Amino acid sequence: MNKFYIVATPIGNLEDITLRALRILKEIDLILCEDTRVSRRLLDKYEIKTPLLSYPADNPKSGRSKSQNTNHKLQTIFKEIESGKTLALISDAGTPCISDPGSFLVSKIKEKFGDSIQIIPIPGASAVITALSGAGVPASDFLFLGFLPHKKGRETLFKEIAESERTVVFYESPHRIIKTLESLKLHLGNECKIVLARELTKIYEQIVSGNPEEILKYFNENEDKIKGEFVVVVSKSKV
Ligand code: SAM
C-alpha cells in the first residue's frame, strides 16, 4: 500500500527532529513543504537530497486565481502518488496541520485515495505542547485555540477564555501581543496566571509568567522583547 507521511520538524532549534523523521525524509521520493527556502535549511543541515515541492496552502473556494494554482498543484501531487512515489508533508515549523495549512491537503488526499493510501504521522515538536510542558500550569486537559481571529469573534473568544475552567493556549504574533494582553486583563482581571512562551528552542527563548498586569508591565518596560514568536497560556487554577 502506498504511504503518505506527515512529518514534524523543529520549531527553531534544528536539532529538535527525530531519527525516524530524518530517515523517512531521506528515504522517500518527494517532500511537500510550505516554503522551499525555509525547508532547504533543515534538509541541508542533515544532507537530505530528496526533492522539495511547495504544497497548496489554500482552500480553492477562497479565491479564483489562487484556486487555479491550488488545483493544478493538487493534480501534480495526485499524479506523483499514482505513479507509486512515496511523499511526505512538512511545514515551515513544528507539526504539520497544527495551525498551519497542511489539513486541506491531507483531507484532499484522503478524499481522493481513501483506504488505498496509508497516512502516517511522525510525531515531533509543536509550539503548543512545548509551551505547555514548560508553563507550570495544569495541563492534563486544555483548550487550544490556534490563532485568535483578528476581528469577528475575537471578543466572544475572550469571554469564552474568561469562562473556561481549563487551561487555554493560543498562538499570537508580536504585532498583537500587547492588545491581546490588554483584552485578557479586561476580561479576566488579575485573578489568572498568564505564561508567555517566546522564541521557544531558539537563542532568545523566554518564558514569562504573571498576572495580566505584571506581564503588561514587563513588556512595556522591555519593548525590545516584543518580537519573535509567542505562545500564550492562560490558567485560572493551580497544579
Ligand atoms: N505547526 C506549528 C506547531 O506545530 O507549533 C505552528 C505553526 S503556526 C503557523 C506558527 C505559530 O506558532 C507562531 O506564530 C507562534 O505563535 C507559534 N510558534 C511557532 N514556533 C514557535 C516558537 N519557537 N516559539 C514560540 N511560538 C512558536
Side-chain angles (χ1 to χ4, degrees):
M1 190 194 284
N2 211 338
K3 293 184 167 81
F4 184 85
Y5 292 98
I6 299 165
V7 181
T9 58
I11 56 168
N13 187 323
L14 292 187
E15 291 181 358
D16 293 330
I17 184 160
T18 68
L19 297 174
R20 187 178 175 214
L22 291 175
R23 177 180 56 76
I24 285 162
L25 293 178
K26 265 187 194 148
E27 285 176 2
I28 55 153
D29 301 300
L30 181 64
I31 300 170
L32 306 176
C33 64
E34 284 184 78
D35 183 335
T36 52
R37 289 161 304 182
V38 173
S39 296
R40 179 68 58 203
R41 283 199 288 277
L42 175 72
L43 299 196
D44 283 351
K45 179 172 169 66
Y46 292 104
E47 297 177 2
I48 295 169
K49 308 271 185 253
T50 310
L52 283 170
L53 177 74
S54 70
Y55 64 82
D58 67 315
N59 181 328
K61 287 180 187 148
S62 64
R64 193 171 154 69
S65 58
K66 256 184 149 186
S67 121
Q68 281 166 347
N69 190 22
T70 300
N71 278 330
H72 179 73
K73 281 192 174 172
L74 267 182
Q75 295 314 317
T76 307
I77 291 166
F78 290 166
K79 278 195 191 124
E80 297 284 8
I81 295 172
E82 279 161 351
S83 75
K85 287 187 181 167
T86 303
L87 276 60
L89 166 69
I90 61 175
S91 64
D92 280 352
T95 302
C97 308
I98 307 302
S99 295
D100 72 31
S103 308
F104 170 69
L105 174 62
V106 178
S107 76
K108 287 290 161 195
I109 287 175
K110 279 181 180 251
E111 206 176 288
K112 169 92 179 158
F113 297 101
D115 291 342
S116 68
I117 194 162
Q118 190 184 358
I119 308 272
I120 307 175
I122 308 297
S126 187
V128 49
I129 301 300
T130 310
L132 263 181
S133 71
V137 300
S140 314
D141 66 333
F142 62 90
L143 181 64
F144 175 56
L145 299 175
F147 287 102
L148 302 185
H150 296 179
K151 289 193 178 103
K152 201 162 171 263
R154 193 174 162 87
E155 285 308 300
T156 316
L157 267 184
F158 279 115
K159 283 182 195 142
E160 274 180 39
I161 295 171
E163 280 161 19
S164 173
E165 288 307 318
R166 290 194 171 91
T167 294
V168 179
V169 191
F170 57 92
Y171 290 159
E172 191 50 283
S173 79
H175 314 293
R176 267 181 298 277
I177 192 73
I178 295 295
K179 236 179 116 196
T180 296
L181 287 168
E182 283 166 353
S183 296
L184 288 171
K185 187 177 166 207
L186 183 74
H187 288 277
L188 284 94
N190 283 321
E191 297 307 307
C192 68
K193 180 174 175 182
I194 308 276
V195 182
L196 279 199
R198 186 174 82 86
E199 294 289 87
L200 289 163
T201 79
K202 303 184 194 177
I203 298 172
Y204 297 107
E205 174 177 284
Q206 191 183 22
I207 300 183
V208 188
S209 324
N211 66 34
E213 194 167 311
E214 288 163 344
I215 305 266
L216 268 169
K217 184 168 180 285
Y218 174 82
F219 281 103
N220 284 329
E221 287 169 1
N222 297 275
E223 284 184 3
D224 59 314
K225 302 281 197 298
I226 310 175
K227 60 181 176 209
E229 301 192 278
F230 287 87
V231 181
V232 184
V233 180
V234 184
S235 167
K236 279 181 273 167
S237 16
K238 293 204 162 57
V239 183

